[in-house]
Amino acid sequence: MLKLSEIWVYPVKSLGGIQLQKAKVTDRGLELDRRWLLVDESGRFLSQREYPVLALFCQEIVNDFLRITHRVNLESLDIPLHPVFSNDKSKIKVTVWEDTIDAFEVSSNTSDWFSKFLGFSVQLVYMPDKSERKLDPDYAITGNEINSFSDAYPFLIIGQASLDDLNGRLEVKVPMNRFRPNFVFANGDPFEEDNWRDFKIGNVSFVGVKPCDRCVMTTVDQDKGVISGKDPLKTLAKYRNFGNKVLFGQNVIGLELGTVMVGDTVRILSFRK
């Protein structure tokens, strides 16, 4: 029997993740997941692909605030979990890959705090509820699905057996946080999630739409904020290369709202053709 073993959210995209025991499934991903984003002066998103030091910012939920702490300097910053912005004129345009999205700067002081650590000017922005970023229509189910600031899809699921298979081929094992999933499940076979279509976690329905192609970000040591070498990407490329894409994990869309909890049963209803 497949069981949900881990739940992760990444409130500020590309910073350290937060492990949860339960989470709400919203119309654009897990609650709080990737609703904040760091952008440069042109409004383009930052990620660990170009800036592995972003991993040094840890995140935790403290009462009604998101607390961000720099792992080395140990300085912390608290921002409201549910910010309110009164003036639509202060919206700015930001970009994630090819998408242009309306967002609000959290505050100039918050942006200055991040700029100090990164050594160049950045802004921390928030995606309001009115900002609806549509999914790629080639993979959408109804055509109305929306996303947060994640790369392309609201959820990512990976089987623990898939990571165990990979680690059995590596000289130095890597933790699951290299792959930044939202859901991890226990039991089952390595890479079986590749072929899932309709499935449920507890009572909440999901659809697997596309295996996730991986990049250099998997080589970033999440504890040190540095690229640790060519693995695990190099090893994955030897046996998980499909059409010149290295695949690991499954991108997922949610079909309904609800709550998922660690320990929930994962039930597979149909498979991708």
Side-chain angles (χ1 to χ4, degrees), residues 43-63:
R44 183 183 182 276
F45 79 107
L46 306 186
S47 83
Q48 290 183 29
R49 296 170 182 86
E50 296 88 7
Y51 305 101
V53 293
L54 292 175
L56 295 179
F57 292 98
C58 304
Q59 304 186 80
E60 60 181 323
I61 297 169
V62 181
N63 299 319

Side-chain angles (χ1 to χ4, degrees), residues 2-6 156-167 174-177 179-196 199 201 212 214 236 239-240 247-252 266 268:
L2 306 180
K3 292 285 187 180
L4 186 64
S5 56
E6 298 177 25
L156 174 67
I157 191 166
I158 300 175
Q160 181 63 46
S162 302
L163 180 64
D164 293 345
D165 182 278
L166 170 62
N167 277 330
V174 297
M176 186 65 82
N177 64 13
F179 302 96
R180 303 177 71 80
N182 294 113
F183 302 131
V184 180
F185 67 93
N187 307 322
D189 298 321
F191 310 110
E192 72 166 80
E193 60 270 24
D194 288 1
N195 298 314
W196 293 1
F199 66 96
I201 299 176
C212 183
R214 312 312 305 218
L236 274 175
Y239 76 115
R240 294 289 300 165
L247 303 182
F248 193 86
Q250 172 82 274
N251 290 305
V252 171
V266 181
I268 314 308

Side-chain angles (χ1 to χ4, degrees), residues 1 33 36 50 65 85 92 121 149 181 209 212 215-216 254 271:
M1 184 178 293
D33 190 41
W36 290 264
E50 296 88 7
F65 293 88
F85 302 95
I92 60 174
S121 181
F149 286 129
V209 293
C212 183
C215 67
V216 68
F271 295 90

Side-chain angles (χ1 to χ4, degrees), residues 12-13 15 36-40 44-47 54 57 114 118 122-125:
V12 181
K13 180 182 175 69
L15 305 193
W36 290 264
L37 178 71
L38 284 168
V39 299
D40 62 19
R44 183 183 182 276
F45 79 107
L46 306 186
S47 83
L54 292 175
F57 292 98
F114 279 102
L118 293 173
V122 300
Q123 287 181 296
L124 181 69
V125 302

Side-chain angles (χ1 to χ4, degrees), residues 8-13 18 20 23-24 26 28-36 59-66 80-83 126 148-149 182:
W8 290 87
V9 293
Y10 312 87
V12 181
K13 180 182 175 69
I18 301 174
L20 302 174
K24 291 182 180 179
T26 77
R28 69 185 80 206
L30 292 178
E31 185 178 38
L32 304 178
D33 190 41
R34 298 175 176 95
R35 292 297 293 269
W36 290 264
Q59 304 186 80
E60 60 181 323
I61 297 169
V62 181
N63 299 319
D64 292 328
F65 293 88
L66 175 64
L81 284 178
H82 305 287
Y126 178 79
S148 63
F149 286 129
N182 294 113

